[in-house]
PDB file of all heavy atoms in Angstrom:
ATOM      1  N   LEU A  45       5.716  25.035  16.606  1.00 98.00           N
ATOM      2  CA  LEU A  45       5.852  23.732  15.946  1.00 98.00           C
ATOM      3  C   LEU A  45       5.097  23.742  14.610  1.00 98.00           C
ATOM      4  O   LEU A  45       5.599  23.250  13.595  1.00 98.00           O
ATOM      5  CB  LEU A  45       5.312  22.622  16.867  1.00 98.00           C
ATOM      6  CG  LEU A  45       5.473  21.176  16.365  1.00 98.00           C
ATOM      7  CD1 LEU A  45       6.942  20.824  16.148  1.00 98.00           C
ATOM      8  CD2 LEU A  45       4.848  20.182  17.360  1.00 98.00           C
ATOM      9  N   ALA A  46       3.909  24.341  14.620  1.00 98.00           N
ATOM     10  CA  ALA A  46       3.122  24.436  13.385  1.00 98.00           C
ATOM     11  C   ALA A  46       3.901  25.202  12.316  1.00 98.00           C
ATOM     12  O   ALA A  46       3.964  24.803  11.155  1.00 98.00           O
ATOM     13  CB  ALA A  46       1.777  25.112  13.656  1.00 98.00           C
ATOM     14  N   GLN A  47       4.530  26.295  12.745  1.00 98.00           N
ATOM     15  CA  GLN A  47       5.321  27.082  11.794  1.00 98.00           C
ATOM     16  C   GLN A  47       6.465  26.270  11.203  1.00 98.00           C
ATOM     17  O   GLN A  47       6.765  26.363  10.020  1.00 98.00           O
ATOM     18  CB  GLN A  47       5.889  28.328  12.478  1.00 98.00           C
ATOM     19  CG  GLN A  47       4.909  29.502  12.426  1.00 98.00           C
ATOM     20  CD  GLN A  47       5.242  30.592  13.416  1.00 98.00           C
ATOM     21  OE1 GLN A  47       6.040  30.384  14.338  1.00 98.00           O
ATOM     22  NE2 GLN A  47       4.613  31.744  13.243  1.00 98.00           N
ATOM     23  N   SER A  48       7.105  25.468  12.037  1.00 98.00           N
ATOM     24  CA  SER A  48       8.242  24.721  11.496  1.00 98.00           C
ATOM     25  C   SER A  48       7.774  23.649  10.505  1.00 98.00           C
ATOM     26  O   SER A  48       8.472  23.348   9.542  1.00 98.00           O
ATOM     27  CB  SER A  48       9.128  24.160  12.616  1.00 98.00           C
ATOM     28  OG  SER A  48       8.504  23.070  13.214  1.00 98.00           O
ATOM     29  N   VAL A  49       6.576  23.115  10.720  1.00 98.00           N
ATOM     30  CA  VAL A  49       6.019  22.174   9.728  1.00 98.00           C
ATOM     31  C   VAL A  49       5.832  22.891   8.383  1.00 98.00           C
ATOM     32  O   VAL A  49       6.222  22.381   7.332  1.00 98.00           O
ATOM     33  CB  VAL A  49       4.668  21.577  10.215  1.00 98.00           C
ATOM     34  CG1 VAL A  49       3.986  20.799   9.095  1.00 98.00           C
ATOM     35  CG2 VAL A  49       4.886  20.674  11.425  1.00 98.00           C
ATOM     36  N   VAL A  50       5.262  24.089   8.448  1.00 98.00           N
ATOM     37  CA  VAL A  50       5.029  24.859   7.217  1.00 98.00           C
ATOM     38  C   VAL A  50       6.365  25.150   6.521  1.00 98.00           C
ATOM     39  O   VAL A  50       6.491  24.985   5.301  1.00 98.00           O
ATOM     40  CB  VAL A  50       4.280  26.174   7.535  1.00 98.00           C
ATOM     41  CG1 VAL A  50       4.201  27.069   6.305  1.00 98.00           C
ATOM     42  CG2 VAL A  50       2.876  25.860   8.060  1.00 98.00           C
ATOM     43  N   GLN A  51       7.354  25.537   7.312  1.00 98.00           N
ATOM     44  CA  GLN A  51       8.651  25.897   6.711  1.00 98.00           C
ATOM     45  C   GLN A  51       9.382  24.713   6.089  1.00 98.00           C
ATOM     46  O   GLN A  51      10.142  24.886   5.147  1.00 98.00           O
ATOM     47  CB  GLN A  51       9.543  26.559   7.762  1.00 98.00           C
ATOM     48  CG  GLN A  51       9.208  28.041   7.959  1.00 98.00           C
ATOM     49  CD  GLN A  51       9.609  28.524   9.340  1.00 98.00           C
ATOM     50  OE1 GLN A  51      10.311  27.829  10.070  1.00 98.00           O
ATOM     51  NE2 GLN A  51       9.146  29.713   9.701  1.00 98.00           N
ATOM     52  N   ARG A  52       9.184  23.538   6.659  1.00 97.00           N
ATOM     53  CA  ARG A  52       9.945  22.388   6.165  1.00 97.00           C
ATOM     54  C   ARG A  52       9.333  21.747   4.921  1.00 97.00           C
ATOM     55  O   ARG A  52       9.956  20.892   4.294  1.00 97.00           O
ATOM     56  CB  ARG A  52      10.034  21.312   7.257  1.00 97.00           C
ATOM     57  CG  ARG A  52      11.036  21.647   8.356  1.00 97.00           C
ATOM     58  CD  ARG A  52      11.216  20.456   9.289  1.00 97.00           C
ATOM     59  NE  ARG A  52       9.947  19.870   9.682  1.00 97.00           N
ATOM     60  CZ  ARG A  52       9.565  19.686  10.958  1.00 97.00           C
ATOM     61  NH1 ARG A  52      10.327  20.040  11.957  1.00 97.00           N
ATOM     62  NH2 ARG A  52       8.403  19.123  11.214  1.00 97.00           N
ATOM     63  N   ASP A  53       8.105  22.132   4.564  1.00 97.00           N
ATOM     64  CA  ASP A  53       7.397  21.436   3.485  1.00 97.00           C
ATOM     65  C   ASP A  53       8.142  21.446   2.145  1.00 97.00           C
ATOM     66  O   ASP A  53       8.096  20.479   1.395  1.00 97.00           O
ATOM     67  CB  ASP A  53       5.990  22.017   3.310  1.00 97.00           C
ATOM     68  CG  ASP A  53       5.247  21.338   2.166  1.00 97.00           C
ATOM     69  OD1 ASP A  53       5.060  20.115   2.236  1.00 97.00           O
ATOM     70  OD2 ASP A  53       4.883  22.021   1.195  1.00 97.00           O
ATOM     71  N   HIS A  54       8.845  22.555   1.851  1.00 97.00           N
ATOM     72  CA  HIS A  54       9.527  22.666   0.543  1.00 97.00           C
ATOM     73  C   HIS A  54      10.510  21.529   0.295  1.00 97.00           C
ATOM     74  O   HIS A  54      10.769  21.143  -0.836  1.00 97.00           O
ATOM     75  CB  HIS A  54      10.257  24.014   0.447  1.00 97.00           C
ATOM     76  CG  HIS A  54      11.471  24.064   1.331  1.00 97.00           C
ATOM     77  ND1 HIS A  54      12.740  23.815   0.877  1.00 97.00           N
ATOM     78  CD2 HIS A  54      11.593  24.273   2.657  1.00 97.00           C
ATOM     79  CE1 HIS A  54      13.593  23.894   1.873  1.00 97.00           C
ATOM     80  NE2 HIS A  54      12.925  24.177   2.964  1.00 97.00           N
ATOM     81  N   LYS A  55      11.061  20.969   1.373  1.00 97.00           N
ATOM     82  CA  LYS A  55      12.025  19.870   1.250  1.00 97.00           C
ATOM     83  C   LYS A  55      11.379  18.678   0.510  1.00 97.00           C
ATOM     84  O   LYS A  55      11.993  18.076  -0.378  1.00 97.00           O
ATOM     85  CB  LYS A  55      12.450  19.468   2.673  1.00 97.00           C
ATOM     86  CG  LYS A  55      13.589  18.484   2.747  1.00 97.00           C
ATOM     87  CD  LYS A  55      14.923  19.090   2.383  1.00 97.00           C
ATOM     88  CE  LYS A  55      15.947  17.982   2.129  1.00 97.00           C
ATOM     89  NZ  LYS A  55      17.003  18.355   1.204  1.00 97.00           N
ATOM     90  N   LEU A  56      10.128  18.381   0.869  1.00 97.00           N
ATOM     91  CA  LEU A  56       9.423  17.274   0.197  1.00 97.00           C
ATOM     92  C   LEU A  56       9.134  17.613  -1.260  1.00 97.00           C
ATOM     93  O   LEU A  56       9.201  16.744  -2.126  1.00 97.00           O
ATOM     94  CB  LEU A  56       8.136  16.935   0.945  1.00 97.00           C
ATOM     95  CG  LEU A  56       8.316  16.067   2.194  1.00 97.00           C
ATOM     96  CD1 LEU A  56       7.053  16.067   3.047  1.00 97.00           C
ATOM     97  CD2 LEU A  56       8.676  14.628   1.810  1.00 97.00           C
ATOM     98  N   ASP A  57       8.812  18.875  -1.521  1.00 96.00           N
ATOM     99  CA  ASP A  57       8.564  19.289  -2.911  1.00 96.00           C
ATOM    100  C   ASP A  57       9.818  19.070  -3.757  1.00 96.00           C
ATOM    101  O   ASP A  57       9.749  18.561  -4.874  1.00 96.00           O
ATOM    102  CB  ASP A  57       8.192  20.783  -2.982  1.00 96.00           C
ATOM    103  CG  ASP A  57       6.911  21.082  -2.215  1.00 96.00           C
ATOM    104  OD1 ASP A  57       6.191  20.134  -1.861  1.00 96.00           O
ATOM    105  OD2 ASP A  57       6.639  22.270  -1.957  1.00 96.00           O
ATOM    106  N   GLU A  58      10.956  19.481  -3.186  1.00 97.00           N
ATOM    107  CA  GLU A  58      12.202  19.356  -3.951  1.00 97.00           C
ATOM    108  C   GLU A  58      12.577  17.895  -4.175  1.00 97.00           C
ATOM    109  O   GLU A  58      13.001  17.515  -5.268  1.00 97.00           O
ATOM    110  CB  GLU A  58      13.337  20.080  -3.208  1.00 97.00           C
ATOM    111  CG  GLU A  58      13.237  21.591  -3.329  1.00 97.00           C
ATOM    112  CD  GLU A  58      13.862  22.331  -2.144  1.00 97.00           C
ATOM    113  OE1 GLU A  58      14.724  21.748  -1.456  1.00 97.00           O
ATOM    114  OE2 GLU A  58      13.455  23.490  -1.907  1.00 97.00           O
ATOM    115  N   LEU A  59      12.426  17.105  -3.133  1.00 97.00           N
ATOM    116  CA  LEU A  59      12.765  15.683  -3.283  1.00 97.00           C
ATOM    117  C   LEU A  59      11.865  15.011  -4.312  1.00 97.00           C
ATOM    118  O   LEU A  59      12.324  14.186  -5.091  1.00 97.00           O
ATOM    119  CB  LEU A  59      12.656  14.967  -1.932  1.00 97.00           C
ATOM    120  CG  LEU A  59      13.845  15.190  -0.983  1.00 97.00           C
ATOM    121  CD1 LEU A  59      13.505  14.732   0.436  1.00 97.00           C
ATOM    122  CD2 LEU A  59      15.084  14.442  -1.477  1.00 97.00           C
ATOM    123  N   GLU A  60      10.588  15.372  -4.315  1.00 96.00           N
ATOM    124  CA  GLU A  60       9.689  14.762  -5.308  1.00 96.00           C
ATOM    125  C   GLU A  60      10.158  15.071  -6.723  1.00 96.00           C
ATOM    126  O   GLU A  60      10.227  14.198  -7.577  1.00 96.00           O
ATOM    127  CB  GLU A  60       8.246  15.241  -5.146  1.00 96.00           C
ATOM    128  CG  GLU A  60       7.304  14.440  -6.061  1.00 96.00           C
ATOM    129  CD  GLU A  60       6.137  15.243  -6.614  1.00 96.00           C
ATOM    130  OE1 GLU A  60       6.024  16.434  -6.297  1.00 96.00           O
ATOM    131  OE2 GLU A  60       5.346  14.656  -7.376  1.00 96.00           O
ATOM    132  N   LYS A  61      10.496  16.340  -6.950  1.00 93.00           N
ATOM    133  CA  LYS A  61      10.973  16.718  -8.292  1.00 93.00           C
ATOM    134  C   LYS A  61      12.230  15.949  -8.658  1.00 93.00           C
ATOM    135  O   LYS A  61      12.406  15.518  -9.792  1.00 93.00           O
ATOM    136  CB  LYS A  61      11.258  18.228  -8.344  1.00 93.00           C
ATOM    137  CG  LYS A  61       9.983  19.013  -8.553  1.00 93.00           C
ATOM    138  CD  LYS A  61      10.262  20.463  -8.915  1.00 93.00           C
ATOM    139  CE  LYS A  61       8.940  21.215  -8.964  1.00 93.00           C
ATOM    140  NZ  LYS A  61       9.043  22.610  -8.594  1.00 93.00           N
ATOM    141  N   ASP A  62      13.118  15.796  -7.671  1.00 96.00           N
ATOM    142  CA  ASP A  62      14.367  15.094  -7.921  1.00 96.00           C
ATOM    143  C   ASP A  62      14.116  13.620  -8.260  1.00 96.00           C
ATOM    144  O   ASP A  62      14.698  13.083  -9.211  1.00 96.00           O
ATOM    145  CB  ASP A  62      15.267  15.219  -6.684  1.00 96.00           C
ATOM    146  CG  ASP A  62      16.672  14.749  -6.977  1.00 96.00           C
ATOM    147  OD1 ASP A  62      17.291  15.301  -7.909  1.00 96.00           O
ATOM    148  OD2 ASP A  62      17.144  13.806  -6.307  1.00 96.00           O
ATOM    149  N   VAL A  63      13.235  12.982  -7.498  1.00 96.00           N
ATOM    150  CA  VAL A  63      12.923  11.568  -7.765  1.00 96.00           C
ATOM    151  C   VAL A  63      12.318  11.431  -9.163  1.00 96.00           C
ATOM    152  O   VAL A  63      12.700  10.555  -9.934  1.00 96.00           O
ATOM    153  CB  VAL A  63      11.944  11.004  -6.693  1.00 96.00           C
ATOM    154  CG1 VAL A  63      11.381   9.647  -7.118  1.00 96.00           C
ATOM    155  CG2 VAL A  63      12.650  10.872  -5.344  1.00 96.00           C
ATOM    156  N   GLU A  64      11.394  12.328  -9.486  1.00 92.00           N
ATOM    157  CA  GLU A  64      10.744  12.254 -10.787  1.00 92.00           C
ATOM    158  C   GLU A  64      11.752  12.395 -11.928  1.00 92.00           C
ATOM    159  O   GLU A  64      11.742  11.632 -12.892  1.00 92.00           O
ATOM    160  CB  GLU A  64       9.682  13.337 -10.886  1.00 92.00           C
ATOM    161  CG  GLU A  64       8.810  13.163 -12.099  1.00 92.00           C
ATOM    162  CD  GLU A  64       7.929  14.378 -12.317  1.00 92.00           C
ATOM    163  OE1 GLU A  64       6.899  14.472 -11.657  1.00 92.00           O
ATOM    164  OE2 GLU A  64       8.305  15.235 -13.146  1.00 92.00           O
ATOM    165  N   ARG A  65      12.633  13.376 -11.779  1.00 91.00           N
ATOM    166  CA  ARG A  65      13.659  13.607 -12.800  1.00 91.00           C
ATOM    167  C   ARG A  65      14.517  12.357 -12.979  1.00 91.00           C
ATOM    168  O   ARG A  65      14.788  11.913 -14.095  1.00 91.00           O
ATOM    169  CB  ARG A  65      14.531  14.780 -12.356  1.00 91.00           C
ATOM    170  CG  ARG A  65      15.108  15.599 -13.455  1.00 91.00           C
ATOM    171  CD  ARG A  65      15.639  16.962 -12.998  1.00 91.00           C
ATOM    172  NE  ARG A  65      15.875  17.041 -11.566  1.00 91.00           N
ATOM    173  CZ  ARG A  65      15.418  18.017 -10.775  1.00 91.00           C
ATOM    174  NH1 ARG A  65      14.710  18.993 -11.277  1.00 91.00           N
ATOM    175  NH2 ARG A  65      15.679  18.023  -9.480  1.00 91.00           N
ATOM    176  N   LYS A  66      14.940  11.791 -11.838  1.00 93.00           N
ATOM    177  CA  LYS A  66      15.797  10.602 -11.915  1.00 93.00           C
ATOM    178  C   LYS A  66      15.068   9.416 -12.546  1.00 93.00           C
ATOM    179  O   LYS A  66      15.665   8.651 -13.308  1.00 93.00           O
ATOM    180  CB  LYS A  66      16.276  10.220 -10.513  1.00 93.00           C
ATOM    181  CG  LYS A  66      17.394  11.128 -10.011  1.00 93.00           C
ATOM    182  CD  LYS A  66      17.870  10.710  -8.630  1.00 93.00           C
ATOM    183  CE  LYS A  66      19.004  11.610  -8.162  1.00 93.00           C
ATOM    184  NZ  LYS A  66      19.063  11.698  -6.683  1.00 93.00           N
ATOM    185  N   CYS A  67      13.795   9.254 -12.200  1.00 91.00           N
ATOM    186  CA  CYS A  67      13.035   8.129 -12.761  1.00 91.00           C
ATOM    187  C   CYS A  67      12.914   8.246 -14.276  1.00 91.00           C
ATOM    188  O   CYS A  67      13.113   7.273 -15.002  1.00 91.00           O
ATOM    189  CB  CYS A  67      11.635   8.075 -12.159  1.00 91.00           C
ATOM    190  SG  CYS A  67      11.633   7.519 -10.449  1.00 91.00           S
ATOM    191  N   ILE A  68      12.569   9.433 -14.739  1.00 87.00           N
ATOM    192  CA  ILE A  68      12.378   9.611 -16.173  1.00 87.00           C
ATOM    193  C   ILE A  68      13.696   9.406 -16.918  1.00 87.00           C
ATOM    194  O   ILE A  68      13.741   8.779 -17.973  1.00 87.00           O
ATOM    195  CB  ILE A  68      11.745  10.986 -16.456  1.00 87.00           C
ATOM    196  CG1 ILE A  68      10.284  10.935 -15.996  1.00 87.00           C
ATOM    197  CG2 ILE A  68      11.831  11.347 -17.940  1.00 87.00           C
ATOM    198  CD1 ILE A  68       9.584  12.243 -15.991  1.00 87.00           C
ATOM    199  N   ARG A  69      14.774   9.890 -16.317  1.00 87.00           N
ATOM    200  CA  ARG A  69      16.091   9.710 -16.917  1.00 87.00           C
ATOM    201  C   ARG A  69      16.436   8.224 -16.997  1.00 87.00           C
ATOM    202  O   ARG A  69      16.929   7.727 -18.025  1.00 87.00           O
ATOM    203  CB  ARG A  69      17.114  10.456 -16.063  1.00 87.00           C
ATOM    204  CG  ARG A  69      18.480  10.506 -16.671  1.00 87.00           C
ATOM    205  CD  ARG A  69      19.404  11.407 -15.868  1.00 87.00           C
ATOM    206  NE  ARG A  69      20.764  10.939 -16.025  1.00 87.00           N
ATOM    207  CZ  ARG A  69      21.320  10.037 -15.253  1.00 87.00           C
ATOM    208  NH1 ARG A  69      20.655   9.513 -14.237  1.00 87.00           N
ATOM    209  NH2 ARG A  69      22.556   9.648 -15.482  1.00 87.00           N
ATOM    210  N   LEU A  70      16.130   7.525 -15.914  1.00 87.00           N
ATOM    211  CA  LEU A  70      16.414   6.093 -15.853  1.00 87.00           C
ATOM    212  C   LEU A  70      15.618   5.335 -16.920  1.00 87.00           C
ATOM    213  O   LEU A  70      16.148   4.465 -17.608  1.00 87.00           O
ATOM    214  CB  LEU A  70      16.008   5.606 -14.453  1.00 87.00           C
ATOM    215  CG  LEU A  70      16.837   4.527 -13.780  1.00 87.00           C
ATOM    216  CD1 LEU A  70      18.289   4.940 -13.706  1.00 87.00           C
ATOM    217  CD2 LEU A  70      16.314   4.291 -12.358  1.00 87.00           C
ATOM    218  N   ILE A  71      14.344   5.681 -17.038  1.00 85.00           N
ATOM    219  CA  ILE A  71      13.502   4.999 -18.034  1.00 85.00           C
ATOM    220  C   ILE A  71      14.012   5.292 -19.439  1.00 85.00           C
ATOM    221  O   ILE A  71      14.125   4.392 -20.278  1.00 85.00           O
ATOM    222  CB  ILE A  71      12.020   5.421 -17.885  1.00 85.00           C
ATOM    223  CG1 ILE A  71      11.481   4.976 -16.523  1.00 85.00           C
ATOM    224  CG2 ILE A  71      11.160   4.823 -19.008  1.00 85.00           C
ATOM    225  CD1 ILE A  71      10.094   5.511 -16.190  1.00 85.00           C
ATOM    226  N   ALA A  72      14.387   6.542 -19.683  1.00 83.00           N
ATOM    227  CA  ALA A  72      14.818   6.923 -21.030  1.00 83.00           C
ATOM    228  C   ALA A  72      16.179   6.323 -21.379  1.00 83.00           C
ATOM    229  O   ALA A  72      16.372   5.829 -22.489  1.00 83.00           O
ATOM    230  CB  ALA A  72      14.858   8.444 -21.154  1.00 83.00           C
ATOM    231  N   LEU A  73      17.115   6.352 -20.433  1.00 83.00           N
ATOM    232  CA  LEU A  73      18.474   5.929 -20.771  1.00 83.00           C
ATOM    233  C   LEU A  73      18.694   4.436 -20.639  1.00 83.00           C
ATOM    234  O   LEU A  73      19.498   3.856 -21.338  1.00 83.00           O
ATOM    235  CB  LEU A  73      19.496   6.657 -19.894  1.00 83.00           C
ATOM    236  CG  LEU A  73      19.541   8.179 -20.071  1.00 83.00           C
ATOM    237  CD1 LEU A  73      20.644   8.777 -19.235  1.00 83.00           C
ATOM    238  CD2 LEU A  73      19.745   8.535 -21.549  1.00 83.00           C
TER     239      LEU A  73
END
Side-chain angles (χ1 to χ4, degrees):
Chain A
L45 184 60
Q47 273 163 345
S48 75
V49 170
V50 172
Q51 279 155 11
R52 284 188 314 235
D53 178 60
H54 72 97
K55 188 72 195 152
L56 280 166
D57 298 346
E58 285 152 23
L59 282 166
E60 188 214 0
K61 279 193 186 149
D62 191 57
V63 168
E64 190 190 279
R65 211 164 18 230
K66 283 181 179 153
C67 288
I68 288 170
R69 188 173 151 271
L70 216 55
I71 296 172
L73 297 184

